[in-house]
Amino acid sequence: MRVLGVDPGLTRCGVGVVEGVAGRPLTMIGVGVVRTPADADLGHRLVAVEQGIERWLDEYGPEYVAVERVFSQHNVRTVMGTAQASAVAILCASRRGIPVALHTPSEVKAAVTGSGRADKAQVGAMVTRLLRLAAPPKPADAADALALAICHIWRAPAQNRLQQAVALHASKGRTA
Amino acid sequence: MRVLGVDPGLTRCGVGVVEGVAGRPLTMIGVGVVRTPADADLGHRLVAVEQGIERWLDEYGPEYVAVERVFSQHNVRTVMGTAQASAVAILCASRRGIPVALHTPSEVKAAVTGSGRADKAQVGAMVTRLLRLAAPPKPADAADALALAICHIWRAPAQNRLQQAVALHASKGRTA
């Protein structure tokens, strides 16, 4: 299972590709950051994010894309840019028929560190350990993108089992 | 000057095309709503918004696109969808090299009614009058999209004069 994690942002959009299945060692396939100039206008920045995400989808052909779910309780200006960058990432994947999953920051932290309130350093340290890297990926947005991909690989089996149970229950309901 | 106004939203994205110049009667060229099903997943909804906006750009070939500037002081859930739909509209226009302008709701209301705090009915009534329509466009999102386009046509000369003045000042500064 190959997953592209996206930590959305207009100035820095973290991207990381991880391959593996739950319960086995995971492999980092690629990591990086799509950047857009802060002084460019919003339209040009969104086009640059789209081109960047398209390149990552072309190059790595992920089967799933995991994007951080954006909440608006944070800083107002930042959140708008984050929501808009995430929309572009979700659009690029969906247009190709690649399933997109949204995970909250605390789900991601809990998945890789065991605590939903872990700090950036802890997430970076665990990503480094789980992917057997020589050093934590920089910047933090890149590490967060890898953490999103890991979170998705580990949560997917549980989600699939849940969906199967719901589907089974629904089909029993219909035949009863 | 032909302007496509977009009142962004995931459930209903208002779109309206107006042609004209400041100081002359304006003409409505088209009006409508791009809808996406509330029960579809976010990715599919964003793809549907993209396809809808692309159709309007193809069909009407606007020279400018005016999109409502999104603020996050409103309802949290709505604002995320609005920010994401606006990102798609801005992306579609920018990708084609069409200039995009953002206008705040109060700028739009002030432009068409004279008051930044006018209500929906007042905006609808003025849009109807200014475009010499038989009845207010429905739903309100469609009327708001037309108001955005009118606002852009009327504000553009002032914005252009300001930009020219700034450019002139900057060039004088360099040669001084």
Side-chain angles (χ1 to χ4, degrees), chain A residues 30-79:
Chain A
V31 67
V33 177
V34 174
R35 292 173 197 273
T36 78
D39 59 353
D41 70 53
L42 179 59
H44 289 114
R45 300 184 81 179
L46 294 174
V47 171
V49 170
E50 180 184 46
Q51 289 169 345
I53 298 290
E54 287 289 333
R55 272 198 301 277
W56 279 79
L57 294 174
D58 282 341
E59 188 160 347
Y60 293 100
E63 295 151 275
Y64 298 90
V65 172
V67 181
E68 189 178 294
R69 189 185 289 277
V70 183
F71 289 106
S72 65
Q73 57 256 46
H74 307 299
N75 177 291
V76 168
R77 279 192 74 86
T78 315
V79 127

Side-chain angles (χ1 to χ4, degrees), chain A residues 43 50 72 76 84 86 94-95, chain B residues 43 50 72 76 84 86 94-95:
Chain A
E50 180 184 46
S72 65
V76 168
Q84 291 171 322
S86 80
S94 300
R95 225 161 32 191
Chain B
E50 179 184 45
S72 65
V76 168
Q84 292 171 322
S86 80
S94 300
R95 225 161 33 192

Side-chain angles (χ1 to χ4, degrees), chain B residues 15-31:
Chain B
V15 278
V17 182
V18 177
E19 203 170 71
V21 291
R24 297 268 189 85
L26 303 169
T27 308
M28 183 182 83
I29 307 293
V31 66

Side-chain angles (χ1 to χ4, degrees), chain A residues 105-130:
Chain A
S106 52
E107 284 167 352
V108 175
K109 290 174 187 172
V112 302
T113 74
S115 163
R117 288 182 293 173
D119 62 16
K120 291 249 172 227
Q122 216 179 328
V123 171
M126 283 308 294
V127 164
T128 310
R129 187 175 306 168
L130 293 166

Side-chain angles (χ1 to χ4, degrees), chain A residues 1-4 16-22 24-30 60-63 130-132 146 149-150 153:
Chain A
M1 174 171 185
R2 180 178 279 204
V3 180
L4 170 66
V17 182
V18 177
E19 203 170 71
V21 290
R24 296 272 188 83
L26 303 169
T27 308
M28 183 182 83
I29 307 293
Y60 293 100
E63 295 151 275
L130 293 166
L131 298 175
R132 289 151 295 134
L146 292 170
I150 296 170
I153 292 171

Side-chain angles (χ1 to χ4, degrees), chain A residues 83-103:
Chain A
Q84 291 171 322
S86 80
V88 173
I90 294 166
L91 177 70
C92 291
S94 300
R95 225 161 32 191
R96 294 177 183 227
I98 303 171
V100 176
L102 304 177
H103 301 287

